[in-house]
Amino acid sequence: QRRVHGILMHLRHYNQPNIQRYIIRILFMVPVYAIDSWLGLRFKAAALYVDLLRDIYESFVLYNFFALLLTHIGGDRQCTAELMRRPPLRHPPPCCCAKPTAVGETFLRVCKLCMVQFMLTKPLCSIVAIVLAYLGLYDEGTVGAGYLATVVVVNVSVTVAFTALVYFYQATKHLLDNFQAVGKFMCVKAIIFLSFWQGFFIALLKKGGVIHGLGDWSANEVSMGLQDFLICVEMAGIALAHRWGRETCIISLGRFRTVAPPSASRCSRTPPRCCTPLRSRTWRT
């Protein structure tokens, strides 16, 4: 409910579309995950097909988070100009001993490509899994049926995307001081990695016989249902974490700010601070 309220407030006070469109897409992640997981529990026979929507939106959100950072800096040209003035970037551990890499237009292009490849790879792997399941060649936890191959490909793809995001932040963190990008990055990363790795470990438990059929539910349906149930619970926790977080995204007259969220007693009567014009309110920094 809190996420939907935040989305509606942004839509009602849509005064900075270049930034707010990315924020709205990211805020939709919690409702999309929760509704998709509930549909997977309700219609167990179609859970594999329903989860395709979650996989598509997951990769879409990661690219939009990168686009949000880029837009906050000022766009491609402004970011490139700022990067050209930066010294070569040192690699983060464990590659800190490698030669520093130059940052500039090519660096930004590579970061974009790393984001796009995940946005394409994750849905494609999900489609491949659906086709293999239809042919009877896909079973979660079974090495020889294509499951391990899709897990490896997705894991490599998401690792490349997150690595590029870390490099981009390291090169532009001096431009994102008032954005609090680390906390927002960790929130998006937690959602993606929790859903991926818990699904992998549930598949291992199914393979080891810990998870088995129950009533008219097969072992595969139980494992997928457990994954969907855990995601529903986690989305409730993540929504609460957003609600009680210390900071929120602020949009006002071309300036992107971060301040403490409004109190719950005022949310139903006044628009949130992220939607109120700067000239009509005294801001806390």
Side-chain angles (χ1 to χ4, degrees):
Q1 182 180 1
R2 180 63 184 173
R3 293 298 92 198
V4 175
H5 178 265
I7 293 170
L8 292 177
M9 287 297 97
H10 274 290
L11 292 174
R12 181 180 178 184
H13 303 272
Y14 201 61
N15 49 31
Q16 292 293 322
N18 289 340
I19 294 179
Q20 281 178 283
R21 60 183 177 182
Y22 298 119
I23 295 176
I24 292 172
R25 293 168 187 172
I26 295 172
L27 290 178
F28 259 115
M29 189 175 193
V30 172
V32 167
Y33 263 54
I35 293 173
D36 181 272
S37 299
W38 180 84
L39 290 175
L41 286 171
R42 178 64 179 82
F43 306 101
K44 59 179 182 178
L48 184 63
Y49 309 98
V50 172
D51 288 347
L52 175 62
L53 173 62
R54 188 173 66 208
D55 294 334
I56 293 175
Y57 205 78
E58 175 183 299
S59 57
F60 179 67
V61 163
L62 187 60
Y63 179 82
N64 276 272
F65 181 74
F66 172 79
L68 176 61
L69 298 180
L70 189 59
T71 303
H72 173 66
I73 294 173
D76 290 12
R77 292 185 178 180
Q78 181 65 27
C79 184
T80 301
E82 294 288 345
L83 290 175
M84 293 294 292
R85 291 193 285 266
R86 294 284 293 171
L89 179 66
R90 295 185 60 184
H91 296 274
C95 303
C96 53
C97 296
K99 181 181 178 181
T101 182
V103 292
E105 184 178 1
T106 302
F107 173 82
L108 181 60
R109 188 182 301 115
V110 171
C111 289
K112 282 186 175 182
L113 290 175
C114 290
M115 296 295 109
V116 172
Q117 63 83 25
F118 177 67
M119 191 169 62
L120 297 176
T121 301
K122 188 64 183 288
L124 286 176
C125 285
S126 299
I127 295 174
V128 169
I130 291 174
V131 173
L132 292 177
Y134 179 78
L135 298 175
L137 301 175
Y138 182 90
D139 185 19
E140 291 190 359
T142 303
V143 176
Y147 175 74
L148 182 61
T150 57
V151 166
V152 170
V153 171
V154 171
N155 194 29
V156 171
S157 178
V158 71
T159 301
V160 170
F162 273 116
T163 301
L165 201 55
V166 170
Y167 272 88
F168 180 77
Y169 172 73
Q170 289 292 329
T172 59
K173 61 182 179 181
H174 63 292
L175 305 172
L176 300 169
D177 289 339
N178 65 335
F179 183 67
Q180 301 296 328
V182 174
K184 299 173 179 65
F185 169 74
M186 293 303 296
C187 186
V188 173
K189 181 178 180 179
I191 296 175
I192 295 177
F193 269 74
L194 278 176
S195 62
F196 175 81
W197 284 109
Q198 77 185 11
F200 178 74
F201 285 117
I202 288 173
L204 292 182
L205 292 176
K206 172 179 170 288
K207 178 66 175 179
V210 178
I211 296 177
H212 49 78
L214 183 64
D216 60 343
W217 288 58
S218 65
N220 191 45
E221 289 174 342
V222 170
S223 64
M224 296 186 68
L226 179 59
Q227 165 80 331
D228 289 332
F229 174 76
L230 290 176
I231 288 178
C232 286
V233 175
E234 290 161 0
M235 290 305 104
I238 289 173
L240 288 175
H242 278 290
R243 170 64 185 87
W244 297 107
R246 295 181 59 186
E247 295 175 333
T248 185
C249 297
I250 304 303
I251 309 295
S252 57
L253 298 181
R255 301 177 67 184
F256 196 91
R257 310 282 293 278
T258 54
V259 300
S263 61
S265 61
R266 300 179 59 189
C267 288
S268 60
R269 302 193 302 270
T270 61
R273 301 182 182 215
C274 57
C275 306
T276 307
L278 184 63
R279 60 172 175 265
S280 64
R281 177 181 297 275
T282 300
W283 292 84
R284 291 187 295 166
T285 57

